[in-house]
Amino acid sequence: MGNWVVNHWFSVLILVIWFGLNVFLFVQAFLQYETDDKYYYTREILGSALAWARASARCLNYNSMLILVPVCRNLLSFVRGTCSFCSRTLRKPLDHNLTFHKLVAYMICLLTAVHIIAHLFNFERYSRSRRATDGSLASVLSNLSHHGKEGDAWLNPIHSPDTTLLYVTFTSIAGLTGVIITIALILMVTSAVEFIRKHYFEVFWYTHHLFIIYIIGLVIHGVGGIVRGQTKKSMEESHPHECAESFEKWDDPDHHCRHPQFEGHFPQSWEWILAPCILYAFERILRFYRSRQKVVITKVIMHPSKVLELQMKKRGFSMEVGQYVFVNCPSISFLEWHPFTLTSAPEEDFFSIHVRVAGDWTEKLIKAFEQQKLPLPRIEVDGPFGTVSEDVFQYEVAMLIGAGIGVTPFASILKSIWYKFQRADHKLKTQKVGHAAINFDKATDILTGLKQKTSFGRPMWDNEFSTIATAHPKSVVGVFLCGPQGLAKSLRKCCQRHSSLDPRKVQFYFNKENF
Amino acid sequence: MGQIEWAMWANEQALASGLILVAGGIVATAGRFTQWYFGTYAIAAGVLVCLLEYPRGSRAKGSTLERCGQRYLTAVLKLLGPLSRNYYFRAALHLALSVPAGFLLATILGTVCLVIASIIYLLAAVRGEQWTPIEPRPKERPQVGGTIKQPPSNPPPRPPVEARKKPGEEDATPAGGPPGGPRVNPIPVTDEVV
């Protein structure tokens, strides 16, 4: 637990600030619409639902602004690079960008629900006061003319008592865009659940581009100015505190109060999301620019178990261990970019990826290269992105555990360690590295070609841990996993069990890094 | 497109639609909106949709992650036979269920989402997909050391010394070739006996 806090305090701080800002913006907008005299008459019809809707809208603007930032991968790499003097702990949140993206997405879903429910009440109340014939203030306000000499006098967007709510919704800009962007949001969320993302990546990839509709719809959503408050001029002439009581006499020319005048306000969403949209547009332009750069495939290797290794070169490409790239193959699919961990070491003069069949695109890629037809299919590469696994090099003893294709990030690390040994790199603390590659068919090390002790069957973790604890009684051992949740749980328990209570003796630190 | 099982996404979408229908229905009923009885219908329809869609079907290839506690509903769905297996039926059912909720603003979102789910199910049905229940696997008790099979008696085959001295050739071994067959290692491997 203490280890976790030391490593993650900065991420927690960012989350607290993010959530705190949400609360602050919500409360501020809520109080504004609940107490400001400008909306006195609006509240007369709508009640508190107005404030709920506007407060959630402000938070939606804020979160929609934030959601694009964690997926600006080049920006994050730039920040990571410029802040290399910062400690690793300060840069750790950059590695959890997708977690933050999902968190903001959940918040958007929650706020959307609040916003829609509040507006359902608003529309219902507008509709009721439109049809009311009891001569109350609400009905008088609702009957303020849409076409009168005063022009913009109207408050209630529902023009006539016979108009149905469905009609108003689908003929107003706010209603129509609201429905469309909510549908886009729902489709994005249902296709992004882990089950779909893992097994049917293309469904997720294409559907998630509905975010373009979400952004455009969000910007247009407020254009109609359907939320109205009293104009300044009207408030100077007939302030609600003085005039609200005497609303029956508004028609009377001798009375000091006139009909109140209302105006909508300018849409605000664009102010919030303009900057992140521009940043993200740059990212996509950069990806397009990179895709034009030539990638030379220097070697194609087909490994057993249908794993394809592609060794490539690209001018100006430089990588670190543990990073990943996005790969596009125009002959298979013009639009899809798929992420792959780099399996080569930075010290090598090429970079490589290992691809196994996991769906349509990977199957077609492997088939295309299997045929060995020249010219080889063109490959485009964007990246590298992602966390640098320099953590591994900080431990005297490192245990790297990879399951199945999860061994790929460790391939890069192991090769790099080997090179560093060769070149007597003094910064390398690591003295001993143990690698457990769990393969279900054959225990062949197809990735690194490094010599390793090959055992068969599932390791008995307790045995492994106690062996290492006995062999290195005074060391700090870093345990790194790239594999399933179940394995993570058992390894974490082993780390706790085998770490000595004496901080000077052997300590196991568990790192489940999402490579 | 070949490997995408559209029914899986349709299932997620339908489940979400059911929840949205229930939520919209509750708002309309609790707020006593105009024509709120449509809201009550939406709650009932939403619950039905959720119950039908909660058990995830089994994937065509590979293992499928179950939803928490779904085996009880899976048992019920198995009893329905073709009504639960056939996706044409599900598409039609969802379309029919969504129509009455389309008359009320509070539930129209649920309607649209359910119609979309129905369309995706139709696509799945056209492609011949079917709902197959996830069968419970017998609980395996991993015995300590039980997965350790008989280790091979021969050392892994290494390419002869001559083949290792030629590092520059394009080496595209087709899958199904001899395991550990002639393959150029990215880094030269020194042959130390362990």
Side-chain angles (χ1 to χ4, degrees):
Chain A
M1 176 67 192
N3 179 29
W4 187 89
V5 170
V6 162
N7 276 334
H8 291 95
W9 67 270
F10 195 54
S11 305
V12 172
L13 182 65
I14 291 179
L15 285 181
V16 167
I17 293 176
W18 165 73
F19 192 74
L21 271 175
N22 268 306
V23 170
F24 171 73
L25 288 169
F26 192 94
V27 170
Q28 186 198 41
F30 191 89
L31 289 176
Q32 179 190 348
Y33 282 87
E34 189 71 350
T35 57
D36 196 336
D37 289 330
K38 186 170 176 191
Y39 301 101
Y40 184 95
Y41 290 122
T42 324
R43 283 197 297 277
E44 190 58 39
I45 304 181
L46 300 178
S48 290
L50 169 71
W52 281 99
R54 296 304 307 151
S56 53
R58 180 157 311 169
C59 287
L60 275 170
N61 282 335
Y62 168 63
N63 283 293
S64 300
M65 169 184 80
L66 286 180
I67 196 153
L68 276 177
V69 175
V71 285
C72 292
R73 291 183 171 90
N74 289 294
L75 175 68
L76 296 180
S77 297
F78 175 74
V79 169
R80 193 182 281 118
T82 8
C83 294
S84 49
F85 55 85
C86 295
S87 79
R88 257 179 319 111
T89 327
L90 288 180
R91 278 176 287 146
K92 218 175 180 66
L94 294 173
D95 306 339
H96 304 302
N97 57 334
L98 288 181
T99 313
F100 187 63
H101 179 84
K102 288 178 213 170
L103 201 57
V104 175
Y106 287 134
M107 184 59 104
I108 288 182
C109 290
L110 175 66
L111 290 167
T112 303
V114 171
H115 186 76
I116 292 178
I117 292 175
H119 272 318
L120 284 174
F121 277 97
N122 284 336
F123 266 16
E124 181 69 18
R125 286 170 186 174
Y126 267 146
S127 175
R128 281 211 189 133
S129 56
R130 197 48 155 130
R131 283 177 283 135
T133 45
D134 53 1
S136 63
L137 175 55
S139 69
V140 167
L141 288 168
S142 296
N143 284 311
L144 288 175
S145 172
H146 281 256
H147 306 292
K149 281 194 299 248
E150 293 127 2
D152 263 345
W154 62 274
L155 172 60
N156 191 327
I158 302 181
H159 292 233
S160 94
D162 303 317
T163 324
T164 60
L165 282 181
L166 283 172
Y167 180 83
V168 174
T169 306
F170 286 100
T171 51
S172 63
I173 295 177
L176 188 59
T177 51
V179 171
I180 291 176
I181 66 180
T182 311
I183 304 283
L185 179 69
I186 292 170
L187 286 173
M188 276 196 276
V189 170
T190 56
S191 62
V193 295
E194 174 127 21
F195 182 71
I196 303 287
R197 220 171 53 234
K198 202 156 79 156
H199 300 301
Y200 315 107
F201 188 75
E202 288 88 0
V203 173
F204 158 68
W205 173 261
Y206 284 112
T207 317
H208 226 67
H209 282 81
L210 284 171
F211 79 89
I212 300 172
I213 296 187
Y214 177 82
I215 300 280
I216 295 176
L218 185 64
V219 169
I220 302 176
H221 189 61
V223 159
I226 208 173
V227 174
R228 308 195 113 217
Q230 203 173 358
T231 60
K232 216 161 147 201
K233 184 158 165 279
S234 173
M235 282 179 70
E236 280 162 12
E237 282 177 354
S238 332
H239 197 274
H241 287 167
E242 293 158 10
C243 298
E245 310 278 298
S246 53
F247 65 90
E248 296 102 343
K249 297 206 212 110
W250 284 345
D251 279 323
D252 194 345
D254 295 327
H255 192 63
H256 65 278
C257 286
R258 296 267 155 271
H259 283 138
Q261 304 280 307
F262 296 97
E263 61 183 0
H265 56 67
F266 283 123
Q268 292 168 332
S269 299
W270 70 272
E271 293 164 12
W272 291 87
I273 62 176
L274 185 64
C277 282
I278 292 178
L279 279 175
Y280 190 74
F282 270 144
E283 293 275 330
R284 295 305 283 251
I285 292 172
L286 193 56
R287 170 169 292 183
F288 178 73
Y289 172 73
R290 285 213 186 107
S291 71
R292 302 281 106 214
Q293 290 172 328
K294 199 163 155 65
V295 171
V296 176
I297 302 176
T298 53
K299 196 170 284 182
V300 176
I301 306 175
M302 192 63 75
H303 291 285
S305 318
K306 275 219 155 199
V307 173
L308 169 75
E309 177 181 350
L310 286 177
Q311 294 182 6
M312 299 168 272
K313 279 199 206 202
K314 185 164 163 238
R315 192 138 41 113
F317 185 90
S318 83
M319 61 166 279
E320 299 290 332
V321 289
Q323 292 198 302
Y324 63 95
V325 289
F326 276 91
V327 175
N328 174 310
C329 187
S331 55
I332 298 177
S333 169
F334 201 57
L335 296 170
E336 292 171 36
W337 289 81
H338 292 247
F340 293 97
T341 316
L342 289 163
T343 47
S344 54
E347 290 85 356
E348 291 169 319
D349 63 350
F350 60 86
F351 64 95
S352 70
I353 58 171
H354 281 66
V355 180
R356 79 173 170 97
V357 175
D360 284 341
W361 189 87
T362 38
E363 180 164 355
K364 287 193 194 137
L365 185 77
I366 292 180
K367 235 186 243 161
F369 280 95
E370 250 178 352
Q371 288 162 3
Q372 298 179 54
K373 265 203 305 230
L374 288 172
L376 292 172
R378 193 164 82 98
I379 293 279
E380 297 170 353
V381 168
D382 187 19
F385 303 116
T387 161
V388 176
S389 316
E390 43 190 20
D391 292 14
V392 178
F393 303 125
Q394 306 302 325
Y395 290 93
E396 290 168 23
V397 182
M399 280 175 77
L400 310 176
I401 301 159
I405 201 70
V407 304
T408 42
F410 297 126
S412 176
I413 294 172
L414 286 174
K415 285 201 251 189
S416 187
I417 291 179
W418 194 90
Y419 276 109
K420 286 188 179 14
F421 264 144
Q422 288 288 77
R423 299 174 191 175
D425 186 340
H426 297 289
K427 281 190 272 174
L428 180 66
K429 280 198 209 155
T430 316
Q431 291 171 12
K432 212 167 187 90
V433 180
H435 180 211
I438 308 172
N439 293 302
F440 286 112
D441 42 9
K442 311 173 191 88
T444 41
D445 188 358
I446 56 181
L447 289 177
T448 62
L450 287 175
K451 214 61 173 107
Q452 49 145 27
K453 268 212 292 237
T454 309
S455 311
F456 295 90
R458 201 171 290 170
M460 288 177 282
W461 296 116
D462 273 318
N463 285 6
E464 301 288 336
F465 274 76
S466 20
T467 322
I468 294 186
T470 352
H472 308 276
K474 292 228 182 72
S475 306
V476 176
V477 181
V479 178
F480 294 83
L481 169 70
C482 185
Q485 262 306 97
L487 190 53
K489 255 191 240 167
S490 29
L491 286 176
R492 195 174 270 127
K493 272 198 219 129
C494 279
C495 286
Q496 284 164 351
R497 220 179 299 147
H498 293 271
S499 289
S500 162
L501 289 169
D502 185 347
R504 292 168 303 171
K505 298 222 183 98
V506 67
Q507 295 293 320
F508 287 89
Y509 285 123
F510 180 70
N511 296 272
K512 175 147 187 344
E513 312 231 5
N514 283 332
F515 289 104
Chain B
M1 288 293 169
Q3 291 193 24
I4 296 180
E5 291 177 74
W6 295 98
M8 295 294 153
W9 181 31
N11 171 266
E12 301 284 339
Q13 179 69 18
L15 191 58
S17 311
L19 293 170
I20 295 170
L21 270 177
V22 170
I26 291 177
V27 169
T29 314
R32 283 284 195 268
F33 287 359
T34 322
Q35 295 183 311
W36 60 270
Y37 36 86
F38 280 118
T40 331
Y41 164 81
I43 299 176
V47 168
L48 177 64
V49 168
C50 284
L51 288 175
L52 176 64
E53 297 293 337
Y54 189 74
R56 191 178 270 149
S58 164
R59 280 170 63 215
K61 271 194 294 189
S63 63
T64 316
L65 188 64
E66 277 192 347
R67 290 203 178 101
C68 194
Q70 78 169 44
R71 43 203 177 96
Y72 308 104
L73 282 169
T74 310
V76 173
L77 281 195
K78 276 191 346 196
L79 292 173
L80 291 174
L83 290 183
S84 60
R85 259 203 318 270
N86 188 299
Y87 285 141
Y88 280 112
F89 178 74
R90 273 199 209 201
L93 177 69
H94 289 326
L95 192 59
L97 284 176
S98 65
V99 168
F103 289 103
L104 195 61
L105 179 62
T107 50
I108 188 112
L109 196 63
T111 301
V112 179
C113 288
L114 199 53
V115 166
I116 293 176
S118 163
I119 293 174
I120 309 174
Y121 264 130
L122 186 62
L123 176 61
V126 161
R127 295 188 66 240
E129 293 176 33
Q130 270 208 337
W131 186 84
T132 35
I134 302 177
E135 299 297 343
R137 272 181 311 177
K139 259 205 162 167
E140 30 179 284
R141 302 211 134 265
Q143 268 124 32
V144 170
T147 60
I148 297 181
K149 310 270 188 294
Q150 184 74 348
S153 43
N154 296 324
R158 297 233 176 271
V161 185
E162 303 85 38
R164 262 184 274 150
K165 283 208 183 114
K166 288 186 207 162
E169 31 186 316
E170 254 279 310
D171 200 39
T173 318
R183 189 173 65 247
V184 178
N185 284 313
I187 314 170
V189 176
T190 51
D191 198 18
E192 301 158 3
V193 178
V194 174

